[in-house]
Amino acid sequence: MRRTSFSKPSSTLRRTAIALVGAAALALGGASAAVAAGDSVAPKDVSWSWEGPFGTFDRAALQRGFQVYKEVCAACHSLKYVKYRNLGDAGGPGFSEAEVKAIAAGYQITDGPNDEGDMFERPGLPKDAFKSPFENEQLAKLANGGALPPDLSLMTKARDGGADYLYSLLTGYEDAPAGFEVGPGLNYNVYFPGHQIAMAQPIYEDSVSYADGTPATVEQMSKDVTAFLHWAAEPKLEARKQTGFMVMTFLVILAGLLYFTQRKIWSDQH
């Protein structure tokens, strides 16, 4: 049988292979250096009341968070998947029916057409979705230097890191370090990818005045509005956990009944 022979690679091929390996190592080294330099910073690890199998929302925090959204965030960001009536739903901020009606009535909603075919303005109703700050995306971009402020309804579910990332972002505005050049119209933020974000710092000390007397620090307001937005993204979180607990309890009881039934049926076979 003829044996197939393999010739040794030429010196040119060897040099090419070495060059490729070296280029790959250099690229990996550059990527590692970028990470080491802090181009991507992990969000803060925050303790939230809703974490864990039995976690629930803090009603007072949700109400304070709604106030921060209403007085600060709503100037640019919509919450189009939430309706005013949801503020009174079980597992939510816990506003009374009268409070929900008053909150909704504080907004003028475009409705219609009427019998004459014209659109008209009316006070908001609990059935209405949260009013957007801009009539359309083009106006939103025009008012924000070309950047479109994202809707916040699902924000804590839409970003890696969830609530931790959003809280970190809100508290991550700082002066740029020496040698870091921030582009025109951008702002330095420790936790935003690339550290340059179009949104200016939205929350400052005492941006709102809490009715319950809670000090309105940047950290407190950021935590409260993050909690409110996480509820907006998961309004049925508490109900889901309660259902899961009942299902698990039922399965444990069922497993016990099946075990003892099996022992009874087969007891005379041993």
Side-chain angles (χ1 to χ4, degrees):
M1 179 181 293
R2 172 183 291 183
R3 294 184 179 179
T4 303
S5 62
F6 296 91
S7 60
K8 294 182 179 180
S10 66
S11 59
T12 302
L13 290 177
R14 287 199 300 270
R15 287 196 297 269
T16 303
I18 292 172
L20 290 174
V21 171
L26 183 62
L28 290 174
S32 300
V35 173
D39 187 62
S40 179
V41 180
K44 301 173 183 177
D45 185 10
V46 186
S47 176
W48 302 103
S49 66
W50 62 79
E51 293 178 327
F54 304 105
T56 59
F57 287 116
D58 181 335
R59 302 287 176 263
L62 293 185
Q63 292 194 11
R64 292 194 302 268
F66 166 69
Q67 182 179 351
V68 176
Y69 168 77
K70 178 182 176 182
E71 297 184 16
V72 179
C73 308
C76 297
H77 296 276
S78 59
L79 204 66
K80 61 185 179 182
Y81 296 120
V82 182
K83 297 182 182 297
Y84 294 116
R85 68 184 180 212
N86 297 138
L87 295 173
D89 288 348
F95 287 108
S96 67
E97 183 178 351
E99 288 173 324
V100 171
K101 289 181 177 178
I103 291 170
Y107 297 86
Q108 289 296 308
I109 305 297
T110 301
D111 202 348
N114 57 19
D115 293 340
E116 286 75 37
D118 298 323
M119 304 300 287
F120 61 93
E121 298 284 320
R122 61 163 175 78
L125 299 171
K127 67 177 182 179
D128 294 318
F130 272 56
K131 184 175 181 178
S132 296
F134 304 103
E135 292 184 7
N136 52 61
E137 292 186 358
Q138 286 69 27
L139 287 176
K141 291 179 180 180
L142 183 64
N144 290 276
L148 178 64
D151 180 81
L152 299 182
S153 304
L154 302 172
M155 185 53 62
T156 63
K157 307 296 290 183
R159 296 290 185 269
D160 289 340
D164 285 351
Y165 170 74
L166 182 56
Y167 172 81
S168 300
L169 182 76
L170 292 173
T171 58
Y173 287 89
E174 296 180 0
D175 292 333
F180 188 98
E181 185 175 349
V182 179
L186 300 176
N187 306 274
Y188 184 82
N189 189 290
V190 175
Y191 299 97
F192 190 76
H195 308 308
Q196 300 191 68
I197 184 172
M199 181 176 71
Q201 180 174 346
I203 297 176
Y204 292 89
E205 298 290 320
D206 299 316
S207 289
V208 303
S209 179
Y210 283 139
D212 62 3
T214 300
T217 62
V218 171
E219 291 75 16
Q220 184 66 56
M221 288 182 287
S222 298
K223 192 169 186 180
D224 289 339
V225 75
T226 298
F228 173 73
L229 293 176
H230 191 70
W231 163 79
E234 286 201 77
K236 302 300 181 183
L237 179 144
E238 292 185 6
R240 175 169 54 80
K241 289 187 176 184
Q242 292 171 0
T243 301
F245 175 74
M246 290 188 292
V247 169
M248 291 302 297
T249 301
F250 170 77
L251 291 176
V252 170
I253 294 173
L254 178 61
L257 291 174
L258 291 175
Y259 172 76
F260 287 111
T261 300
Q262 186 267 348
R263 289 285 302 272
K264 179 67 174 176
I265 293 174
W266 293 95
S267 61
D268 60 346
Q269 301 298 317
H270 299 281

